Amino acid sequence: MREPGRGRSFRDVFPRRGPVRRTLLILAALLGSIVRSASAQVCLGTPPFDRGPVGLRGAASVGNDQTHISAGLQAGGSSIFGGASFDRISYRNVDRPGFGGSINLGWQLRANRWLRACPVVEAGLTWGPDFDLGDQRWEVDTRIALAGIAVGTTLEGGGNLEIAPSFMIGYAYGGTKVIVDGEEVLSGAKGYGVFRVSVGLLFWGVGLTPFVNVPIGLEDYDPSVGVSLRILMRPY
């Protein structure tokens, strides 16, 4: 059976190298969304909340035949911070995108005079991509959780510009199920490592942060690259 308008089978869309291959594809997609959603703090290469307790964020990344676009809100203080985001995930050779959301919570600690460390926890889910394949309806749902620690610092960049290098290492675990015409035909779960490195360019409450996400323990998956924008503000 062929996907309408594409001339490709479901196997072309989700290459099958064992029963968990499709699961890993969706998990890797959601992972990119979750890692990008972390709220603003120096340990994550983004403006600290002492410059504004509320912020807007947007991000985009590409990798592994997937494109992620996300937007969200964040809030916090000098130590505890959190946020939520909404994501749109486009897949190569699939007409319809997936949609997702995630929430996160962190706590910034002072490791020493120069470094800041943040334990972070995040959780998210996606719906899709859902599409018709011949006379069948395919639906994909994914849930994932992440725990890790991020470390960062700031360097003087000249004028009001600060440079904020950071990295994060963590562990993610998630599960995916595929439903065809209301019947579950595939489910699976997988745990794997996460490594993220970024360099933030901070101008007071505005931060532009290029980043690289590297999955650890997922075969055949390459790093993804992207950029995020954070704008902090005071609501008074």
Side-chain angles (χ1 to χ4, degrees), residues 14-150:
F14 297 111
R16 188 173 184 179
R17 301 180 186 175
V20 300
R21 175 65 176 181
R22 299 171 189 166
T23 300
L24 298 186
L25 174 66
I26 305 300
L27 290 179
L30 183 54
L31 170 63
S33 303
I34 286 184
V35 173
R36 285 198 318 278
S37 71
S39 299
Q41 282 292 35
V42 168
C43 57
L44 294 162
T46 53
F49 279 111
D50 58 9
R51 301 176 184 179
V54 179
L56 303 175
R57 57 162 297 279
S61 69
V62 295
N64 298 295
D65 296 328
Q66 302 154 14
T67 301
H68 306 257
I69 299 175
S70 67
L73 296 172
Q74 51 193 228
S78 60
S79 56
I80 297 175
F81 57 93
S85 71
F86 176 78
D87 304 276
R88 184 183 190 275
I89 308 168
S90 300
Y91 303 88
R92 182 181 178 185
N93 300 328
V94 180
D95 285 329
R96 298 182 182 180
F99 296 93
S102 63
I103 57 174
N104 61 83
L105 183 66
W107 183 19
Q108 178 161 278
L109 306 172
R110 183 167 179 162
N112 59 35
R113 181 178 177 182
W114 301 280
L115 296 178
R116 300 293 183 269
C118 296
V120 293
V121 292
E122 307 177 28
L125 54 86
T126 59
W127 304 270
D130 300 341
F131 52 86
D132 296 319
L133 191 64
D135 58 354
Q136 295 179 318
R137 178 64 174 174
W138 291 72
E139 302 174 20
V140 181
D141 295 318
T142 303
R143 292 170 176 79
I144 193 169
L146 168 74
I149 186 165

Side-chain angles (χ1 to χ4, degrees), residues 152-204:
T153 189
T154 56
L155 307 171
E156 294 296 329
N160 292 321
L161 176 67
E162 294 177 290
I163 301 173
S166 71
F167 72 89
M168 186 188 80
I169 188 166
Y171 181 79
Y173 189 86
T176 295
K177 62 181 179 180
V178 178
I179 300 172
V180 179
D181 291 337
E183 181 180 353
E184 184 176 313
V185 298
L186 174 68
S187 64
K190 179 71 174 180
Y192 49 95
V194 179
F195 181 74
R196 178 185 190 266
V197 61
S198 66
V199 179
L201 305 176
L202 313 184
F203 184 81
W204 190 240

